[in-house]
Amino acid sequence: MVCKEKTLESEYIYKGKILSLRKDLVSVKDGNTSYREIVEHGGAVGIVCIDDEGKVILVKQYRKAVEKVLMEIPAGKIEGREQPYYCAIRELEEETGVISDEMIFLGEFYLSAGFSSEKMYLYFCKVKKQGLQKLDGDEDLEILRLDYEKALEMVYNDEISDAKTAIGIMLSKKYI
Amino acid sequence: MVCKEKTLESEYIYKGKILSLRKDLVSVKDGNTSYREIVEHGGAVGIVCIDDEGKVILVKQYRKAVEKVLMEIPAGKIEGREQPYYCAIRELEEETGVISDEMIFLGEFYLSAGFSSEKMYLYFCKVKKQGLQKLDGDEDLEILRLDYEKALEMVYNDEISDAKTAIGIMLSKKYI
């Protein structure tokens, strides 16, 4: 039986725009204590969207945290008390211009549970209508479309290195 | 063409045990600037290990950041300049007592590239010898063994909610 760690003390180090950081003193086994550094994050969604030609819509984006351009499924942060389902519809339209009103839930995953509270909700959908991108001022995205089988092969060959994208593409197989 | 974001200013907010936090002022498109909150993390490994009966070895662990017990593949943080391959051998033995000297590389993934530099290196291996667990003082792990097909089904049914575990189990299919 794995024991819950009780919080003995908790201190915020930083409260920011997309994340906050706190340090908790917790009870661990044998009556000992330990510190846990915890990043609080409000959660996010990722969408595997397939167009009329069976292609997956991906976005290329510079990620400062890893100093690289990554190939990812459209994704974004949940705003306040927004429902993940509606967040997925909103983010897909903002990043790609694609309008879809039916999202199939693929699963929810903790990305880095050792230190981060971030949960990723993944959806699958098909393009219903193509509109225009509505990017935030600091977003710079390039859209590309890949055959689903090619994208899956790239996950297996380690050519797609974003975790949510790998999970989403692999889980979508049964809907293709 | 997606542009690289140049660092204009960079400030450390926190330097900790498993992570550090900094805030960068960066150049974005159209000559504008924006802040990026970045968690620095030294990377980690995760291991899909199969025993003589074809079962996957998993660990159950309380994760303070998400306030839940999660079912995960054995995993751990890379220490200093340690090679991921040797880190995988070490972590597997520490967490499960399993000794394996041949790790097959499955892939490397950024878990949350929007704010975190953490890269996860995934490996597949078979049990060579069973020894004893060597846990850190603040680690409390319960080991369980699941048929590979059962574990895969649990990923598809959203009963395994840890990202590295989901990716590792799905990518291992060809070695089973």
Side-chain angles (χ1 to χ4, degrees):
Chain A
M1 181 61 193
V2 179
C3 287
K4 187 173 181 268
E5 295 175 355
K6 269 189 214 154
T7 309
L8 305 172
E9 288 170 23
S10 186
E11 177 204 358
Y12 274 94
I13 289 158
Y14 177 76
K15 288 192 180 189
K17 208 176 99 184
I18 68 150
L19 59 86
S20 295
L21 176 64
R22 54 170 228 267
K23 198 170 168 181
D24 285 1
L25 179 68
V26 300
S27 62
V28 295
K29 65 181 178 187
D30 305 330
N32 294 323
T33 61
S34 188
Y35 280 102
R36 300 288 180 225
E37 294 160 338
I38 294 170
V39 171
E40 292 182 1
H41 184 287
V45 302
I47 309 105
V48 180
C49 180
I50 302 285
D51 72 12
D52 300 341
E53 295 169 357
K55 289 182 194 283
V56 189
I57 303 177
L58 297 173
V59 293
K60 276 172 90 170
Q61 191 171 4
Y62 184 76
R63 293 301 202 171
K64 185 65 189 167
V66 303
E67 304 274 359
K68 270 185 190 164
V69 174
L70 295 187
M71 210 181 294
E72 304 176 37
I73 53 174
K77 207 174 163 307
I78 294 171
E79 312 259 355
R81 302 175 67 87
E82 188 180 32
Q83 292 294 313
Y85 183 93
Y86 295 105
C87 177
I89 291 174
R90 177 180 59 73
E91 283 288 351
L92 179 68
E93 185 178 359
E94 286 178 8
E95 293 200 346
T96 68
V98 167
I99 295 164
S100 182
D101 55 4
E102 203 192 340
M103 295 272 163
I104 298 170
F105 180 65
L106 291 174
E108 51 193 68
F109 296 91
Y110 294 108
L111 295 173
S112 198
F115 69 86
S116 163
S117 68
E118 185 184 10
K119 192 189 248 187
M120 171 64 60
Y121 298 81
L122 292 175
Y123 293 89
F124 174 87
C125 74
K126 294 197 169 174
V127 174
K128 189 162 178 190
K129 215 171 94 184
Q130 183 67 54
L132 296 173
Q133 264 184 329
K134 300 172 187 172
L135 296 181
D136 288 339
D138 64 352
E139 276 184 321
D140 184 12
L141 299 179
E142 189 184 317
I143 293 174
L144 73 164
R145 293 169 189 242
L146 286 182
D147 286 332
Y148 174 79
E149 291 299 332
K150 171 69 183 165
L152 188 62
E153 193 189 307
M154 288 176 78
V155 172
Y156 282 110
N157 293 343
D158 202 26
E159 292 168 87
I160 283 179
S161 57
D162 176 58
K164 66 178 176 300
T165 305
I167 300 177
I169 289 173
M170 289 192 279
L171 286 182
S172 294
K173 197 162 173 57
K174 65 176 169 179
Y175 298 109
I176 301 295
Chain B
M1 180 65 192
V2 179
C3 287
K4 187 170 180 270
E5 294 174 356
K6 268 190 215 153
T7 309
L8 305 172
E9 287 171 25
S10 186
E11 176 203 1
Y12 275 96
I13 289 157
Y14 176 76
K15 288 192 180 192
K17 209 176 98 185
I18 67 151
L19 59 86
S20 295
L21 177 64
R22 55 170 228 265
K23 199 171 167 180
D24 285 1
L25 178 69
V26 299
S27 62
V28 295
K29 64 179 179 187
D30 306 329
N32 293 321
T33 61
S34 188
Y35 280 101
R36 302 288 180 223
E37 295 158 339
I38 294 169
V39 171
E40 293 182 0
H41 184 287
V45 301
I47 310 105
V48 180
C49 179
I50 302 284
D51 72 11
D52 300 340
E53 294 168 358
K55 288 180 193 285
V56 189
I57 302 177
L58 298 173
V59 294
K60 276 172 90 169
Q61 190 171 6
Y62 183 77
R63 293 300 204 170
K64 185 65 188 167
V66 304
E67 304 275 0
K68 271 186 190 163
V69 174
L70 295 187
M71 209 181 294
E72 304 176 36
I73 52 174
K77 206 176 163 309
I78 294 170
E79 312 258 355
R81 301 174 67 88
E82 188 179 33
Q83 293 293 313
Y85 184 93
Y86 295 105
C87 177
I89 291 175
R90 177 180 60 73
E91 283 289 350
L92 181 66
E93 184 178 1
E94 287 177 7
E95 294 200 346
T96 68
V98 167
I99 295 164
S100 183
D101 55 4
E102 203 192 340
M103 296 271 163
I104 297 171
F105 180 65
L106 291 173
E108 52 193 67
F109 297 91
Y110 294 108
L111 295 173
S112 199
F115 69 86
S116 163
S117 68
E118 184 183 12
K119 192 190 249 190
M120 171 64 60
Y121 299 81
L122 292 174
Y123 293 90
F124 174 87
C125 74
K126 295 197 169 174
V127 174
K128 189 161 181 193
K129 214 170 97 183
Q130 181 68 53
L132 296 172
Q133 264 183 328
K134 300 172 187 172
L135 296 180
D136 288 339
D138 64 352
E139 276 185 321
D140 184 12
L141 298 180
E142 190 185 315
I143 293 174
L144 75 163
R145 292 169 189 245
L146 286 181
D147 284 333
Y148 174 79
E149 290 300 332
K150 171 70 183 164
L152 188 62
E153 194 189 305
M154 288 176 77
V155 172
Y156 282 111
N157 293 341
D158 203 26
E159 292 167 85
I160 284 179
S161 56
D162 175 59
K164 67 179 173 299
T165 305
I167 300 176
I169 289 173
M170 289 191 280
L171 286 183
S172 294
K173 198 163 172 58
K174 65 175 170 180
Y175 298 108
I176 301 296

